[in-house]
Amino acid sequence: MGFAGEREIDMEGRAIAAPGSRRGACPTLAAPMATGDGLLARLRPAGGALTPSQLNMLAVSAAANGNGVLEITGRGSLQVRGLRPETVGRLAADVDAAGILVPAGPPIELSPLHGIDPGEIGNAAAIEARLRNEHKIALSSPLLAPKLSIIVDGGGRFGLSGLSADIRVDALDEGRWLVAIDGDAKAAKPVCIGSADDAARAVGRLLAMLMEIGKNSRARDIGPTALREVFPAMELQFAAGPNSQMPRPGLHQLCDDSAVLGLRPRFGQMKASALSRFLGQTEPLGAAEIRLAPGRQFFVTGCSTEAAKALQAAAKDYGFSSDADDPSANIAACAGAGACPSGFYETRMRAQHLLRHSPVLFDGSLTFHLSGCSKGCAHPRPALALTGMASGYGIVLSGLAGDSPDATIAGGKIDFAIEKLARLVENNKSADESAAACLTRLGPQTIVKALKQE
């Protein structure tokens, strides 16, 4: 048994095909996904950046056309929940009216500090624009996997070296780029090192290979023989990608009197009304952009240090945390009962209870998935899952919300069961052992016995 720590995760559900969409495809404005609380549309603006005014217009539209809940995914896209068939078009029209550019095809992910990081060594935004322009047809092809991931990392203080991707383009130094496939910066397999021209051509060849292999193929499906035929010099490529720090919430000084503020909405979810009120404070303080980031967070750019400090103090009133070690970051919670008709319990209330009464479980080694039902919309990866059921709760010690539970707990006894789990860890964990390591050592049989003990 292994207990999953936090990974680069999307807050996505099991895709239900909308008319004209592909099964398993990521939800978009053109093809939203059906969920328990209505249709869900996901979008990533070019460069991952919006002005405060644009984001406010989107929040207002989300309240008018959806249920007023917005989410930031684990990879830094934005989701609008609770849409209806007749309101999807209105949201799309509002996105256009706000001047928000949402490129077709798979998202191309950039560091949230691209273009403003003093340590950046390559122009990631220019590479993104070039890929979009030169490979427009390929990137729009239905033959590409819906979840194909592309990263362009220009280096600098904050980068995406720890985030895995099918195709990654990493700046090595001024004028030189590394193209690699299937992994993070350390694990990805290099196929090309060269200029921006070389990198753009290499990405085009990789996209062609993926389409040739067949529909829904990922980079891991490209065989070594085929790679060597297209990239004969790849055996000589031993350079590693950048080893930059992943973005984290908090106040970060750029240079002189310039700072950026990283904020994480609790459980990745925002009420449109609260977001609008917060955004109303950002522009008077000089905020230029809201940059979406991996880890369900966003960065406010353009502020002086003093203005950023003022926003940091105000953010908590709107449900945004600037604490990089906030334990709530280890909880993936779906909309839950009250917001989603499929939910059997109020996930956010349960999350608050967990944080208050079981702090020993929140040392960062465990990811909790609080799922109102077995669909598992909030977390598609293994975790310690608490799944709502008609008869109460199912506890999956390490797996998906829809997996067969290791234990079932009656509704009125769930608080006691979780507190027993916390006591089990507290009483058995050694000084240098994490909560996840302790539970792995104890094993499912011991854990389930403790959960059910009267």
Side-chain angles (χ1 to χ4, degrees):
M1 178 183 66
F3 284 85
E6 192 170 16
R7 299 288 191 272
E8 64 277 2
I9 56 170
D10 271 350
M11 298 178 63
E12 60 190 78
R14 189 165 49 197
I16 300 174
S21 70
R22 290 169 284 159
R23 179 176 176 81
C26 293
T28 63
L29 282 172
M33 179 178 71
T35 66
D37 56 343
L39 297 174
L40 179 150
R42 182 181 304 155
L43 59 94
R44 181 177 174 83
L50 297 164
T51 66
S53 176
Q54 286 175 326
L55 184 53
N56 183 55
M57 292 176 71
L58 184 57
V60 170
S61 183
N65 298 303
N67 60 10
V69 175
L70 297 97
E71 296 171 331
I72 302 177
T73 72
R75 292 190 75 106
S77 291
L78 197 61
Q79 295 185 162
V80 179
R81 301 194 68 96
L83 297 165
R84 303 181 299 283
E86 66 272 19
T87 64
V88 172
R90 297 175 205 164
L91 175 70
D94 289 343
V95 167
D96 287 340
I100 300 172
L101 176 62
V102 183
I108 297 178
E109 302 165 62
L110 313 180
S111 161
L113 299 191
H114 69 86
I116 59 175
D117 189 329
E120 190 175 40
I121 55 178
N123 190 335
I127 295 290
E128 178 194 11
R130 183 166 183 168
L131 296 180
R132 292 287 184 197
N133 181 54
E134 296 182 11
H135 306 305
K136 182 177 181 179
I137 295 176
L139 288 170
S140 300
S141 172
L143 294 176
L144 292 180
K147 298 184 186 302
L148 185 78
S149 53
I150 302 174
I151 284 175
V152 180
D153 190 347
R157 182 175 178 181
F158 282 154
L160 304 179
S161 62
L163 201 61
S164 184
D166 287 280
I167 301 172
R168 54 185 312 120
V169 184
D170 294 311
L172 291 179
D173 50 44
E174 190 172 350
R176 281 205 319 152
W177 295 83
L178 165 68
V179 180
I181 64 168
D182 190 25
D184 59 19
K186 288 185 177 180
K189 181 182 297 183
V191 297
C192 173
I193 294 176
S195 66
D197 292 341
D198 296 325
R201 282 193 294 269
V203 172
R205 290 168 183 159
L206 289 168
L207 293 173
M209 294 176 78
L210 288 169
M211 289 186 289
E212 186 177 347
I213 292 172
K215 190 173 182 179
N216 298 334
S217 296
R218 305 294 292 270
R220 60 178 173 265
D221 300 318
I222 303 176
T225 302
L227 272 178
R228 280 192 294 270
E229 288 178 356
V230 177
F231 301 99
M234 65 173 287
E235 297 295 344
L236 304 177
Q237 318 282 3
F238 295 111
N243 187 22
S244 52
Q245 178 188 357
M246 286 289 285
R248 286 169 65 83
L251 187 66
H252 304 281
Q253 200 74 32
L254 291 182
C255 59
D256 300 328
D257 190 37
S258 175
V260 295
L261 176 64
L263 297 170
R264 183 188 285 122
R266 203 147 223 222
F267 315 122
Q269 299 171 352
M270 304 174 283
K271 286 288 187 182
S273 55
L275 178 60
S276 289
R277 291 197 302 273
F278 172 74
L279 292 170
Q281 296 197 30
T282 63
E283 285 190 287
L285 291 172
E289 289 181 321
I290 308 297
R291 304 277 191 98
L292 302 171
R296 307 191 190 106
Q297 59 187 313
F298 63 86
F299 282 74
V300 183
T301 73
C303 293
S304 68
T305 301
E306 287 306 310
K309 287 179 179 178
L311 281 177
Q312 184 178 30
K316 57 186 177 182
D317 293 334
Y318 303 98
F320 304 133
S321 172
S322 61
D323 180 4
D325 299 314
D326 187 339
S328 68
N330 295 302
I331 296 179
C334 71
C340 174
S342 297
F344 285 101
Y345 71 96
E346 294 183 21
T347 54
R348 294 178 72 114
M349 183 180 73
R350 182 65 49 221
Q352 300 289 6
H353 188 277
L354 264 171
L355 291 167
R356 280 196 306 269
H357 298 284
S358 305
V360 70
L361 300 176
F362 291 92
D363 60 359
S365 65
L366 290 168
T367 294
F368 283 84
H369 181 187
L370 304 190
S371 185
C373 71
S374 61
K375 293 178 184 177
C377 296
H379 192 81
R381 304 234 192 267
L384 200 164
L386 192 64
T387 304
M389 307 164 61
S391 58
Y393 297 83
I395 296 180
V396 179
L397 296 175
S398 183
L400 306 179
D403 290 347
S404 178
D406 294 288
T408 55
I409 307 295
K413 296 184 176 180
I414 188 61
D415 288 340
F416 299 110
I418 297 301
E419 288 169 21
K420 289 172 189 173
L421 182 66
R423 283 197 300 272
L424 182 68
V425 170
E426 193 168 26
N427 294 335
N428 288 276
K429 186 172 76 72
S430 62
D432 59 348
E433 192 176 33
S434 70
C438 177
L439 290 173
T440 299
R441 176 172 56 79
L442 293 173
Q445 188 174 357
T446 298
I447 296 170
V448 172
K449 181 179 179 181
L451 291 175
K452 291 185 169 292
Q453 201 168 40
E454 293 296 334

